[in-house]
Amino acid sequence: MADRAHLIAAFLTAQGWAGADRYPLPGDASFRRYVRLQDKHRSALLMDAPPPLESVQPFVRLARHLRSLGLSAPAVYGEDLAHGLLLIEDFGEETFTRLLAGGVDEESLYALALDVLIDLHRKPTAQAIPKGLAPYDAARLLEEALLFLDWYLPAVGAPVSDEVRGHFIRAWLGTFPLLGGQRPALVLRDYHVDNLMRLTDRTGIAACGLLDFQDALAGPAVYDVMSLLEDARRDIPEALKAEMLERYLSAFDALDRAAFEAAFAVLGAQRHAKVIGIFTRLHRRDGKQGYLPHIPRVWRMLERSLAHPVLGAVAAWFERHVPAEKRMIPPTDTMRQP
């Protein structure tokens, strides 16, 4: 820690922020941490992402790419890639989550978030997706879905035999081909209100500040729409969800709505299973219990996704191997795992 503090001090000195006041910001589910820097009439954020646990290179690359598309990702003022340190633009305090909690109109914020996706998905594929970006393909989707099997089931005392695992894999692999007809896009992957900010000094879609996009992949455009409207951390009124889906679908006249709805269900089920696994892992491995209360909501969304006919094999697996009494918040008295 002393060595890290020295590296940070040297970095801030080199960037001209040695005398700035420092205000640590609340952490998230990653190993990154953020510190607000304030110096007279200016402010910035220090991103501290210690390697090898984290890498700042994807953030720098994607931030510059998104800005080139006219979207509001933070500007990168200074970087030390080798040591995982960035000095970035400070978007302030107005996350959509905080605004919604304060009573700001839901419709206006969700409409702005959807308009960002509409703009991004209207761009030519070659322009929207950076060259060489990894694909969000069946192998990656399956790897993520397996987090449910590897973390949640052991936590609730459900056995995972080789046969159970094999059936799980085959069920998911049977659904992923349905995604092949979806428009390819830059998928930001964690597109929800915690990672969106209102920028009052900008207009149009630029008024939506984007955060936590460093894990972006090239995949189905529907993914981020689903991520926004089926949020693990908050309930969204069904009427608002329907209105926002229509807003998005109406922007693409040639879009096959039935295929979109099927892909929405497949990716929703995959994400919800993954998130249940991740929230369990954050508790068991990292000692973070704050995500556990969201699991019942995620289970409800997972069950709703599994009701779509294209997910029959996956739904049958869940019915057989995860009965209702196992669909719970994992016990909090379990030992942390290595």
Side-chain angles (χ1 to χ4, degrees), residues 250-318:
S250 296
F252 300 95
D253 293 336
L255 194 147
D256 182 330
R257 293 196 174 205
F260 179 92
E261 290 170 2
F264 191 103
V266 170
L267 291 171
Q270 184 271 350
R271 179 175 175 85
H272 302 325
K274 172 185 73 171
V275 168
I276 291 171
I278 289 173
F279 286 177
T280 305
R281 182 176 66 183
L282 285 167
H283 159 53
R284 301 201 80 197
R285 187 189 70 183
D286 304 332
K288 298 179 179 180
Q289 296 187 17
Y291 297 90
L292 294 182
H294 298 302
I295 286 181
R297 176 185 300 108
V298 185
W299 262 117
R300 291 193 297 272
M301 293 189 295
L302 174 56
E303 290 168 352
R304 187 169 56 208
S305 297
L306 292 175
H308 195 287
V310 299
L311 283 156
V314 178
W317 183 94
F318 274 90

Side-chain angles (χ1 to χ4, degrees), residues 122-138:
R122 279 176 170 167
K123 296 185 185 301
T125 301
Q127 178 187 4
I129 302 176
K131 290 182 179 179
L133 192 67
Y136 210 177
D137 55 15

Side-chain angles (χ1 to χ4, degrees), residues 8-180:
I8 291 171
F11 174 71
L12 293 179
T13 297
Q15 298 297 326
W17 287 81
D21 294 326
R22 303 185 194 181
Y23 302 94
L25 300 182
D28 58 16
S30 73
F31 294 102
R32 296 181 301 273
R33 80 182 175 100
Y34 296 87
V35 178
R36 173 165 284 120
L37 307 173
Q38 293 186 333
D39 185 12
K40 298 179 181 177
H41 301 297
R42 61 177 184 161
S43 68
L45 293 182
L46 170 70
M47 181 193 293
D48 177 14
L53 299 172
E54 297 280 348
S55 171
V56 297
Q57 293 184 8
F59 181 94
V60 172
R61 181 190 183 200
L62 268 299
R64 288 172 175 161
H65 176 73
L66 290 167
R67 289 171 63 84
S68 77
L69 299 178
L71 301 177
S72 291
V76 178
Y77 299 143
E79 58 192 66
D80 180 349
L81 300 182
H83 295 115
L85 297 171
L86 294 180
L87 188 67
I88 64 174
E89 184 177 5
D90 183 4
F91 278 165
E93 301 282 354
E94 292 194 336
T95 65
F96 280 21
T97 298
R98 181 168 293 184
L99 293 169
L100 289 165
V104 172
D105 177 55
E106 283 185 306
E107 183 178 355
S108 64
L109 291 180
Y110 278 95
L112 175 57
L114 259 298
D115 288 347
V116 169
L117 294 181
I118 290 169
D119 180 84
L120 180 59
H121 296 166
R122 279 176 170 167
K123 296 185 185 301
T125 301
Q127 178 187 4
I129 302 176
K131 290 182 179 179
L133 192 67
Y136 210 177
D137 55 15
R140 181 65 68 92
L141 290 166
L142 177 62
E143 178 186 358
E144 293 179 349
L146 284 167
L147 292 172
F148 176 89
L149 210 67
D150 294 337
W151 288 96
Y152 179 80
L153 288 191
V156 298
V160 184
S161 66
D162 289 344
E163 182 181 13
V164 167
R165 189 178 185 88
H167 288 166
F168 184 85
I169 291 171
R170 287 191 292 275
W172 282 109
L173 290 179
T175 68
F176 293 150
L178 294 168
L179 305 174

Side-chain angles (χ1 to χ4, degrees), residues 198-234:
R198 185 176 66 181
L199 308 178
T200 55
D201 60 340
R202 305 181 194 186
T203 59
I205 59 171
C208 182
L210 306 177
L211 306 175
D212 203 10
F213 44 74
Q214 61 277 343
D215 295 326
L217 296 170
V222 61
Y223 188 92
D224 283 338
V225 181
M226 175 276 301
S227 177
L228 176 69
L229 298 179
E230 297 203 347
D231 194 328
R233 296 167 179 82
R234 73 182 305 267

